mmCIF file of all heavy atoms in Angstrom:
data_model
loop_
_atom_site.group_PDB
_atom_site.id
_atom_site.type_symbol
_atom_site.label_atom_id
_atom_site.label_comp_id
_atom_site.label_asym_id
_atom_site.label_seq_id
_atom_site.Cartn_x
_atom_site.Cartn_y
_atom_site.Cartn_z
ATOM 1 N N PRO D 8 -60.981 -9.992 34.455
ATOM 2 C CA PRO D 8 -61.295 -11.413 34.240
ATOM 3 C C PRO D 8 -62.629 -11.798 34.846
ATOM 4 O O PRO D 8 -63.110 -11.161 35.797
ATOM 5 C CB PRO D 8 -60.135 -12.116 34.956
ATOM 6 C CG PRO D 8 -59.719 -11.162 36.031
ATOM 7 C CD PRO D 8 -59.910 -9.792 35.454
ATOM 8 N N THR D 9 -63.217 -12.836 34.298
ATOM 9 C CA THR D 9 -64.414 -13.411 34.897
ATOM 10 C C THR D 9 -64.057 -14.199 36.143
ATOM 11 O O THR D 9 -64.761 -14.157 37.159
ATOM 12 C CB THR D 9 -65.128 -14.315 33.878
ATOM 13 O OG1 THR D 9 -65.433 -13.549 32.701
ATOM 14 C CG2 THR D 9 -66.419 -14.890 34.464
ATOM 15 N N SER D 10 -62.938 -14.911 36.086
ATOM 16 C CA SER D 10 -62.445 -15.654 37.245
ATOM 17 C C SER D 10 -60.963 -15.939 37.056
ATOM 18 O O SER D 10 -60.418 -15.770 35.962
ATOM 19 C CB SER D 10 -63.221 -16.967 37.428
ATOM 20 O OG SER D 10 -63.054 -17.812 36.301
ATOM 21 N N GLY D 11 -60.327 -16.383 38.137
ATOM 22 C CA GLY D 11 -58.913 -16.733 38.080
ATOM 23 C C GLY D 11 -58.043 -15.728 38.809
ATOM 24 O O GLY D 11 -58.531 -14.741 39.371
ATOM 25 N N SER D 12 -56.750 -15.982 38.807
ATOM 26 C CA SER D 12 -55.786 -15.168 39.541
ATOM 27 C C SER D 12 -54.630 -14.754 38.646
ATOM 28 O O SER D 12 -54.255 -15.477 37.715
ATOM 29 C CB SER D 12 -55.230 -15.946 40.743
ATOM 30 O OG SER D 12 -56.265 -16.339 41.624
ATOM 31 N N ILE D 13 -54.081 -13.570 38.942
ATOM 32 C CA ILE D 13 -52.912 -13.048 38.237
ATOM 33 C C ILE D 13 -51.913 -12.617 39.304
ATOM 34 O O ILE D 13 -52.181 -11.680 40.063
ATOM 35 C CB ILE D 13 -53.268 -11.834 37.361
ATOM 36 C CG1 ILE D 13 -54.433 -12.147 36.421
ATOM 37 C CG2 ILE D 13 -52.049 -11.359 36.576
ATOM 38 C CD1 ILE D 13 -55.094 -10.911 35.839
ATOM 39 N N PHE D 14 -50.780 -13.300 39.384
ATOM 40 C CA PHE D 14 -49.784 -12.988 40.406
ATOM 41 C C PHE D 14 -48.569 -12.324 39.767
ATOM 42 O O PHE D 14 -48.013 -12.847 38.806
ATOM 43 C CB PHE D 14 -49.339 -14.262 41.133
ATOM 44 C CG PHE D 14 -50.417 -14.894 41.969
ATOM 45 C CD1 PHE D 14 -51.220 -15.894 41.445
ATOM 46 C CD2 PHE D 14 -50.629 -14.482 43.271
ATOM 47 C CE1 PHE D 14 -52.222 -16.475 42.215
ATOM 48 C CE2 PHE D 14 -51.619 -15.058 44.050
ATOM 49 C CZ PHE D 14 -52.416 -16.058 43.520
ATOM 50 N N PHE D 15 -48.178 -11.181 40.321
ATOM 51 C CA PHE D 15 -46.934 -10.523 39.931
ATOM 52 C C PHE D 15 -46.068 -10.436 41.176
ATOM 53 O O PHE D 15 -46.433 -9.792 42.150
ATOM 54 C CB PHE D 15 -47.203 -9.130 39.368
ATOM 55 C CG PHE D 15 -45.962 -8.429 38.885
ATOM 56 C CD1 PHE D 15 -45.381 -8.768 37.673
ATOM 57 C CD2 PHE D 15 -45.364 -7.438 39.654
ATOM 58 C CE1 PHE D 15 -44.234 -8.136 37.230
ATOM 59 C CE2 PHE D 15 -44.217 -6.799 39.218
ATOM 60 C CZ PHE D 15 -43.653 -7.154 38.002
ATOM 61 N N GLU D 16 -44.952 -11.136 41.144
ATOM 62 C CA GLU D 16 -44.087 -11.264 42.321
ATOM 63 C C GLU D 16 -44.871 -11.687 43.555
ATOM 64 O O GLU D 16 -44.651 -11.187 44.647
ATOM 65 C CB GLU D 16 -43.345 -9.952 42.591
ATOM 66 C CG GLU D 16 -42.329 -9.596 41.533
ATOM 67 C CD GLU D 16 -41.449 -8.443 41.945
ATOM 68 O OE1 GLU D 16 -41.970 -7.460 42.507
ATOM 69 O OE2 GLU D 16 -40.224 -8.530 41.710
ATOM 70 N N GLY D 17 -45.800 -12.617 43.359
ATOM 71 C CA GLY D 17 -46.545 -13.185 44.469
ATOM 72 C C GLY D 17 -47.763 -12.408 44.897
ATOM 73 O O GLY D 17 -48.526 -12.883 45.750
ATOM 74 N N ARG D 18 -48.006 -11.223 44.331
ATOM 75 C CA ARG D 18 -49.175 -10.426 44.698
ATOM 76 C C ARG D 18 -50.276 -10.628 43.671
ATOM 77 O O ARG D 18 -50.040 -10.502 42.464
ATOM 78 C CB ARG D 18 -48.804 -8.941 44.785
ATOM 79 C CG ARG D 18 -47.917 -8.618 45.987
ATOM 80 C CD ARG D 18 -47.322 -7.238 45.878
ATOM 81 N NE ARG D 18 -46.265 -7.201 44.874
ATOM 82 C CZ ARG D 18 -45.485 -6.149 44.648
ATOM 83 N NH1 ARG D 18 -45.653 -5.053 45.351
ATOM 84 N NH2 ARG D 18 -44.525 -6.205 43.733
ATOM 85 N N ASP D 19 -51.473 -10.940 44.143
ATOM 86 C CA ASP D 19 -52.592 -11.222 43.245
ATOM 87 C C ASP D 19 -53.194 -9.905 42.765
ATOM 88 O O ASP D 19 -53.848 -9.188 43.528
ATOM 89 C CB ASP D 19 -53.648 -12.066 43.953
ATOM 90 C CG ASP D 19 -54.716 -12.584 42.990
ATOM 91 O OD1 ASP D 19 -54.743 -12.131 41.824
ATOM 92 O OD2 ASP D 19 -55.530 -13.427 43.404
ATOM 93 N N LEU D 20 -52.990 -9.586 41.491
ATOM 94 C CA LEU D 20 -53.463 -8.322 40.942
ATOM 95 C C LEU D 20 -54.977 -8.234 40.877
ATOM 96 O O LEU D 20 -55.538 -7.140 40.913
ATOM 97 C CB LEU D 20 -52.887 -8.120 39.530
ATOM 98 C CG LEU D 20 -51.371 -8.201 39.356
ATOM 99 C CD1 LEU D 20 -50.997 -7.822 37.922
ATOM 100 C CD2 LEU D 20 -50.651 -7.306 40.343
ATOM 101 N N VAL D 21 -55.648 -9.377 40.778
ATOM 102 C CA VAL D 21 -57.100 -9.368 40.620
ATOM 103 C C VAL D 21 -57.784 -8.744 41.828
ATOM 104 O O VAL D 21 -58.839 -8.111 41.708
ATOM 105 C CB VAL D 21 -57.631 -10.800 40.375
ATOM 106 C CG1 VAL D 21 -59.149 -10.845 40.417
ATOM 107 C CG2 VAL D 21 -57.126 -11.317 39.028
ATOM 108 N N HIS D 22 -57.187 -8.883 43.000
ATOM 109 C CA HIS D 22 -57.817 -8.392 44.219
ATOM 110 C C HIS D 22 -57.326 -7.007 44.631
ATOM 111 O O HIS D 22 -57.613 -6.552 45.742
ATOM 112 C CB HIS D 22 -57.607 -9.396 45.354
ATOM 113 C CG HIS D 22 -58.313 -10.692 45.113
ATOM 114 N ND1 HIS D 22 -57.647 -11.829 44.704
ATOM 115 C CD2 HIS D 22 -59.622 -11.015 45.174
ATOM 116 C CE1 HIS D 22 -58.519 -12.818 44.554
ATOM 117 N NE2 HIS D 22 -59.728 -12.348 44.827
ATOM 118 N N LEU D 23 -56.590 -6.328 43.739
ATOM 119 C CA LEU D 23 -56.173 -4.958 44.002
ATOM 120 C C LEU D 23 -57.104 -4.019 43.245
ATOM 121 O O LEU D 23 -57.319 -4.177 42.044
ATOM 122 C CB LEU D 23 -54.729 -4.731 43.542
ATOM 123 C CG LEU D 23 -53.658 -5.579 44.232
ATOM 124 C CD1 LEU D 23 -52.295 -5.250 43.660
ATOM 125 C CD2 LEU D 23 -53.669 -5.374 45.737
ATOM 126 N N ALA D 24 -57.649 -3.038 43.952
ATOM 127 C CA ALA D 24 -58.527 -2.067 43.306
ATOM 128 C C ALA D 24 -57.724 -1.239 42.326
ATOM 129 O O ALA D 24 -56.524 -1.030 42.487
ATOM 130 C CB ALA D 24 -59.180 -1.161 44.356
ATOM 131 N N SER D 25 -58.400 -0.770 41.276
ATOM 132 C CA SER D 25 -57.733 0.072 40.288
ATOM 133 C C SER D 25 -58.643 1.234 39.950
ATOM 134 O O SER D 25 -59.789 1.297 40.367
ATOM 135 C CB SER D 25 -57.393 -0.736 39.025
ATOM 136 O OG SER D 25 -58.573 -1.211 38.416
ATOM 137 N N GLY D 26 -58.105 2.153 39.168
ATOM 138 C CA GLY D 26 -58.893 3.311 38.774
ATOM 139 C C GLY D 26 -58.417 4.563 39.479
ATOM 140 O O GLY D 26 -57.738 4.516 40.492
ATOM 141 N N PRO D 27 -58.809 5.759 38.964
ATOM 142 C CA PRO D 27 -58.298 7.015 39.482
ATOM 143 C C PRO D 27 -58.728 7.321 40.902
ATOM 144 O O PRO D 27 -58.091 8.120 41.586
ATOM 145 C CB PRO D 27 -58.857 8.057 38.494
ATOM 146 C CG PRO D 27 -60.058 7.403 37.876
ATOM 147 C CD PRO D 27 -59.729 5.944 37.827
ATOM 148 N N HIS D 28 -59.836 6.713 41.360
ATOM 149 C CA HIS D 28 -60.338 7.028 42.696
ATOM 150 C C HIS D 28 -60.075 5.915 43.696
ATOM 151 O O HIS D 28 -60.565 5.948 44.814
ATOM 152 C CB HIS D 28 -61.844 7.316 42.637
ATOM 153 C CG HIS D 28 -62.193 8.406 41.666
ATOM 154 N ND1 HIS D 28 -61.760 9.705 41.815
ATOM 155 C CD2 HIS D 28 -62.900 8.372 40.506
ATOM 156 C CE1 HIS D 28 -62.216 10.445 40.809
ATOM 157 N NE2 HIS D 28 -62.892 9.652 39.994
ATOM 158 N N ALA D 29 -59.322 4.895 43.290
ATOM 159 C CA ALA D 29 -59.051 3.774 44.185
ATOM 160 C C ALA D 29 -58.002 4.180 45.210
ATOM 161 O O ALA D 29 -56.954 4.705 44.873
ATOM 162 C CB ALA D 29 -58.565 2.567 43.390
ATOM 163 N N GLY D 30 -58.288 3.927 46.459
ATOM 164 C CA GLY D 30 -57.330 4.207 47.517
ATOM 165 C C GLY D 30 -56.851 2.913 48.135
ATOM 166 O O GLY D 30 -57.229 1.827 47.725
ATOM 167 N N GLY D 31 -56.003 3.018 49.157
ATOM 168 C CA GLY D 31 -55.564 1.822 49.859
ATOM 169 C C GLY D 31 -54.859 0.871 48.936
ATOM 170 O O GLY D 31 -53.830 1.189 48.348
ATOM 171 N N ARG D 32 -55.438 -0.326 48.757
ATOM 172 C CA ARG D 32 -54.830 -1.330 47.888
ATOM 173 C C ARG D 32 -54.859 -0.892 46.434
ATOM 174 O O ARG D 32 -54.106 -1.400 45.600
ATOM 175 C CB ARG D 32 -55.537 -2.678 48.070
ATOM 176 C CG ARG D 32 -55.322 -3.251 49.471
ATOM 177 C CD ARG D 32 -56.062 -4.571 49.643
ATOM 178 N NE ARG D 32 -55.511 -5.628 48.805
ATOM 179 C CZ ARG D 32 -54.435 -6.350 49.111
ATOM 180 N NH1 ARG D 32 -53.774 -6.088 50.222
ATOM 181 N NH2 ARG D 32 -54.021 -7.314 48.327
ATOM 182 N N GLY D 33 -55.749 0.071 46.117
ATOM 183 C CA GLY D 33 -55.716 0.637 44.767
ATOM 184 C C GLY D 33 -54.420 1.362 44.496
ATOM 185 O O GLY D 33 -53.914 1.379 43.381
ATOM 186 N N GLY D 34 -53.835 1.973 45.539
ATOM 187 C CA GLY D 34 -52.540 2.607 45.391
ATOM 188 C C GLY D 34 -51.469 1.599 45.061
ATOM 189 O O GLY D 34 -50.533 1.896 44.319
ATOM 190 N N GLU D 35 -51.592 0.388 45.603
ATOM 191 C CA GLU D 35 -50.625 -0.662 45.293
ATOM 192 C C GLU D 35 -50.728 -1.057 43.828
ATOM 193 O O GLU D 35 -49.709 -1.268 43.158
ATOM 194 C CB GLU D 35 -50.852 -1.871 46.199
ATOM 195 C CG GLU D 35 -49.790 -2.945 46.048
ATOM 196 C CD GLU D 35 -49.991 -4.094 47.009
ATOM 197 O OE1 GLU D 35 -50.929 -4.054 47.828
ATOM 198 O OE2 GLU D 35 -49.201 -5.061 46.930
ATOM 199 N N MET D 36 -51.955 -1.165 43.305
ATOM 200 C CA MET D 36 -52.122 -1.492 41.895
ATOM 201 C C MET D 36 -51.543 -0.388 41.018
ATOM 202 O O MET D 36 -50.898 -0.653 39.991
ATOM 203 C CB MET D 36 -53.616 -1.692 41.585
ATOM 204 C CG MET D 36 -53.890 -2.160 40.157
ATOM 205 S SD MET D 36 -53.259 -3.822 39.828
ATOM 206 C CE MET D 36 -52.479 -3.591 38.234
ATOM 207 N N ARG D 37 -51.747 0.853 41.420
ATOM 208 C CA ARG D 37 -51.192 1.970 40.658
ATOM 209 C C ARG D 37 -49.667 1.895 40.617
ATOM 210 O O ARG D 37 -49.050 2.111 39.573
ATOM 211 C CB ARG D 37 -51.646 3.283 41.281
ATOM 212 C CG ARG D 37 -51.102 4.519 40.568
ATOM 213 C CD ARG D 37 -51.579 5.778 41.296
ATOM 214 N NE ARG D 37 -50.954 6.968 40.736
ATOM 215 C CZ ARG D 37 -51.393 7.648 39.702
ATOM 216 N NH1 ARG D 37 -52.491 7.237 39.083
ATOM 217 N NH2 ARG D 37 -50.778 8.731 39.258
ATOM 218 N N ARG D 38 -49.058 1.559 41.742
ATOM 219 C CA ARG D 38 -47.603 1.428 41.766
ATOM 220 C C ARG D 38 -47.140 0.271 40.893
ATOM 221 O O ARG D 38 -46.124 0.359 40.195
ATOM 222 C CB ARG D 38 -47.116 1.248 43.207
ATOM 223 C CG ARG D 38 -47.201 2.516 44.060
ATOM 224 C CD ARG D 38 -46.502 2.337 45.385
ATOM 225 N NE ARG D 38 -47.148 1.336 46.222
ATOM 226 C CZ ARG D 38 -48.161 1.589 47.046
ATOM 227 N NH1 ARG D 38 -48.656 2.823 47.124
ATOM 228 N NH2 ARG D 38 -48.680 0.633 47.783
ATOM 229 N N LEU D 39 -47.886 -0.837 40.921
ATOM 230 C CA LEU D 39 -47.499 -1.994 40.120
ATOM 231 C C LEU D 39 -47.617 -1.727 38.626
ATOM 232 O O LEU D 39 -46.907 -2.336 37.824
ATOM 233 C CB LEU D 39 -48.350 -3.202 40.510
ATOM 234 C CG LEU D 39 -47.996 -3.874 41.832
ATOM 235 C CD1 LEU D 39 -49.010 -4.937 42.183
ATOM 236 C CD2 LEU D 39 -46.596 -4.476 41.777
ATOM 237 N N ARG D 40 -48.512 -0.827 38.244
ATOM 238 C CA ARG D 40 -48.674 -0.528 36.820
ATOM 239 C C ARG D 40 -47.397 0.056 36.219
ATOM 240 O O ARG D 40 -47.192 -0.014 35.004
ATOM 241 C CB ARG D 40 -49.844 0.432 36.607
ATOM 242 C CG ARG D 40 -51.203 -0.229 36.781
ATOM 243 C CD ARG D 40 -52.308 0.560 36.138
ATOM 244 N NE ARG D 40 -53.617 -0.022 36.396
ATOM 245 C CZ ARG D 40 -54.117 -1.069 35.759
ATOM 246 N NH1 ARG D 40 -53.380 -1.666 34.831
ATOM 247 N NH2 ARG D 40 -55.320 -1.537 36.061
ATOM 248 N N ARG D 41 -46.536 0.618 37.037
ATOM 249 C CA ARG D 41 -45.250 1.084 36.534
ATOM 250 C C ARG D 41 -44.436 -0.079 35.985
ATOM 251 O O ARG D 41 -43.644 0.091 35.052
ATOM 252 C CB ARG D 41 -44.469 1.776 37.657
ATOM 253 C CG ARG D 41 -45.160 2.966 38.280
ATOM 254 C CD ARG D 41 -44.403 3.421 39.519
ATOM 255 N NE ARG D 41 -43.067 3.852 39.163
ATOM 256 C CZ ARG D 41 -42.750 5.098 38.840
ATOM 257 N NH1 ARG D 41 -43.666 6.039 38.850
ATOM 258 N NH2 ARG D 41 -41.514 5.409 38.516
ATOM 259 N N ASP D 42 -44.593 -1.251 36.576
ATOM 260 C CA ASP D 42 -43.812 -2.423 36.181
ATOM 261 C C ASP D 42 -44.447 -3.217 35.048
ATOM 262 O O ASP D 42 -43.834 -4.143 34.527
ATOM 263 C CB ASP D 42 -43.637 -3.364 37.383
ATOM 264 C CG ASP D 42 -42.634 -2.838 38.392
ATOM 265 O OD1 ASP D 42 -41.647 -2.213 37.968
ATOM 266 O OD2 ASP D 42 -42.839 -3.048 39.595
ATOM 267 N N LEU D 43 -45.688 -2.883 34.694
ATOM 268 C CA LEU D 43 -46.454 -3.674 33.736
ATOM 269 C C LEU D 43 -46.903 -2.773 32.593
ATOM 270 O O LEU D 43 -47.775 -1.925 32.772
ATOM 271 C CB LEU D 43 -47.678 -4.300 34.414
ATOM 272 C CG LEU D 43 -47.406 -5.131 35.676
ATOM 273 C CD1 LEU D 43 -48.701 -5.372 36.445
ATOM 274 C CD2 LEU D 43 -46.759 -6.448 35.311
ATOM 275 N N GLN D 44 -46.336 -2.960 31.417
ATOM 276 C CA GLN D 44 -46.634 -2.086 30.292
ATOM 277 C C GLN D 44 -46.997 -2.907 29.059
ATOM 278 O O GLN D 44 -46.860 -4.133 29.040
ATOM 279 C CB GLN D 44 -45.440 -1.182 29.997
ATOM 280 C CG GLN D 44 -45.124 -0.187 31.104
ATOM 281 C CD GLN D 44 -46.205 0.856 31.289
ATOM 282 O OE1 GLN D 44 -46.724 1.405 30.313
ATOM 283 N NE2 GLN D 44 -46.551 1.143 32.535
ATOM 284 N N ILE D 45 -47.449 -2.198 28.014
ATOM 285 C CA ILE D 45 -47.877 -2.868 26.782
ATOM 286 C C ILE D 45 -47.382 -2.096 25.578
ATOM 287 O O ILE D 45 -47.311 -0.868 25.589
ATOM 288 C CB ILE D 45 -49.422 -3.021 26.747
ATOM 289 C CG1 ILE D 45 -49.864 -3.850 25.529
ATOM 290 C CG2 ILE D 45 -50.111 -1.659 26.767
ATOM 291 C CD1 ILE D 45 -51.325 -4.274 25.570
ATOM 292 N N ILE D 46 -47.018 -2.837 24.529
ATOM 293 C CA ILE D 46 -46.748 -2.284 23.204
ATOM 294 C C ILE D 46 -47.877 -2.767 22.312
ATOM 295 O O ILE D 46 -48.084 -3.974 22.155
ATOM 296 C CB ILE D 46 -45.388 -2.748 22.663
ATOM 297 C CG1 ILE D 46 -44.259 -2.278 23.586
ATOM 298 C CG2 ILE D 46 -45.164 -2.240 21.240
ATOM 299 C CD1 ILE D 46 -42.937 -2.963 23.321
ATOM 300 N N PHE D 47 -48.615 -1.834 21.727
ATOM 301 C CA PHE D 47 -49.828 -2.191 20.984
ATOM 302 C C PHE D 47 -49.522 -2.609 19.550
ATOM 303 O O PHE D 47 -48.454 -2.320 19.003
ATOM 304 C CB PHE D 47 -50.805 -1.010 20.982
ATOM 305 C CG PHE D 47 -51.386 -0.705 22.336
ATOM 306 C CD1 PHE D 47 -50.884 0.338 23.100
ATOM 307 C CD2 PHE D 47 -52.419 -1.467 22.843
ATOM 308 C CE1 PHE D 47 -51.422 0.623 24.345
ATOM 309 C CE2 PHE D 47 -52.956 -1.193 24.094
ATOM 310 C CZ PHE D 47 -52.462 -0.141 24.848
ATOM 311 N N GLN D 48 -50.516 -3.235 18.952
ATOM 312 C CA GLN D 48 -50.372 -3.793 17.613
ATOM 313 C C GLN D 48 -50.279 -2.717 16.538
ATOM 314 O O GLN D 48 -49.432 -2.798 15.648
ATOM 315 C CB GLN D 48 -51.560 -4.712 17.317
ATOM 316 C CG GLN D 48 -51.599 -5.260 15.899
ATOM 317 C CD GLN D 48 -52.787 -6.180 15.679
ATOM 318 O OE1 GLN D 48 -53.556 -6.443 16.594
ATOM 319 N NE2 GLN D 48 -52.937 -6.668 14.467
ATOM 320 N N ASP D 49 -51.143 -1.724 16.623
ATOM 321 C CA ASP D 49 -51.288 -0.770 15.524
ATOM 322 C C ASP D 49 -50.566 0.534 15.856
ATOM 323 O O ASP D 49 -51.055 1.330 16.661
ATOM 324 C CB ASP D 49 -52.776 -0.497 15.279
ATOM 325 C CG ASP D 49 -53.017 0.347 14.037
ATOM 326 O OD1 ASP D 49 -52.038 0.912 13.502
ATOM 327 O OD2 ASP D 49 -54.177 0.456 13.604
ATOM 328 N N PRO D 50 -49.415 0.794 15.234
ATOM 329 C CA PRO D 50 -48.679 2.025 15.560
ATOM 330 C C PRO D 50 -49.372 3.278 15.051
ATOM 331 O O PRO D 50 -49.007 4.387 15.431
ATOM 332 C CB PRO D 50 -47.333 1.818 14.859
ATOM 333 C CG PRO D 50 -47.641 0.908 13.718
ATOM 334 C CD PRO D 50 -48.726 -0.014 14.213
ATOM 335 N N PHE D 51 -50.374 3.122 14.188
ATOM 336 C CA PHE D 51 -51.098 4.282 13.671
ATOM 337 C C PHE D 51 -52.238 4.689 14.605
ATOM 338 O O PHE D 51 -52.559 5.865 14.731
ATOM 339 C CB PHE D 51 -51.631 3.984 12.268
ATOM 340 C CG PHE D 51 -50.550 3.753 11.270
ATOM 341 C CD1 PHE D 51 -50.093 2.472 11.003
ATOM 342 C CD2 PHE D 51 -49.958 4.810 10.602
ATOM 343 C CE1 PHE D 51 -49.068 2.246 10.092
ATOM 344 C CE2 PHE D 51 -48.935 4.605 9.692
ATOM 345 C CZ PHE D 51 -48.493 3.321 9.434
ATOM 346 N N ALA D 52 -52.847 3.720 15.287
ATOM 347 C CA ALA D 52 -53.969 4.015 16.171
ATOM 348 C C ALA D 52 -53.562 4.226 17.623
ATOM 349 O O ALA D 52 -54.330 4.794 18.398
ATOM 350 C CB ALA D 52 -54.997 2.868 16.093
ATOM 351 N N SER D 53 -52.372 3.787 18.003
ATOM 352 C CA SER D 53 -51.996 3.803 19.424
ATOM 353 C C SER D 53 -51.374 5.117 19.885
ATOM 354 O O SER D 53 -51.143 5.308 21.077
ATOM 355 C CB SER D 53 -51.024 2.658 19.724
ATOM 356 O OG SER D 53 -49.822 2.802 18.981
ATOM 357 N N LEU D 54 -51.087 6.028 18.938
ATOM 358 C CA LEU D 54 -50.505 7.319 19.291
ATOM 359 C C LEU D 54 -51.511 8.430 19.029
ATOM 360 O O LEU D 54 -52.096 8.511 17.948
ATOM 361 C CB LEU D 54 -49.235 7.576 18.470
ATOM 362 C CG LEU D 54 -48.135 6.515 18.546
ATOM 363 C CD1 LEU D 54 -46.959 6.927 17.660
ATOM 364 C CD2 LEU D 54 -47.679 6.296 19.975
ATOM 365 N N ASP D 55 -51.721 9.303 20.006
ATOM 366 C CA ASP D 55 -52.673 10.400 19.875
ATOM 367 C C ASP D 55 -52.140 11.408 18.847
ATOM 368 O O ASP D 55 -51.076 12.003 19.049
ATOM 369 C CB ASP D 55 -52.869 11.088 21.228
ATOM 370 C CG ASP D 55 -54.066 12.023 21.235
ATOM 371 O OD1 ASP D 55 -54.294 12.709 20.218
ATOM 372 O OD2 ASP D 55 -54.771 12.074 22.258
#
């Protein structure tokens, strides 16, 4: 986001680091990603 907040169970996701090399609070974001998933629009493009 450009600005604003996203809270999941009271934790602000915007301020958690993400990515494969994120440590510390990035680990918290990685754990939270288990709880947050998406089903995409195009079933032909979304599967490898």
Side-chain angles (χ1 to χ4, degrees):
T9 303
S10 62
S12 301
I13 307 163
F14 293 93
F15 183 77
E16 293 190 317
R18 289 167 286 186
D19 190 350
L20 306 186
V21 171
H22 294 103
L23 298 179
S25 62
H28 304 297
R32 294 179 67 82
E35 186 177 358
M36 185 66 225
R37 179 182 173 86
R38 288 189 295 273
L39 285 173
R40 286 199 184 281
R41 301 171 62 90
D42 286 325
L43 306 165
Q44 294 293 316
I45 186 169
I46 299 166
F47 292 101
Q48 175 179 358
D49 187 348
F51 296 93
S53 62
L54 304 179
D55 193 321

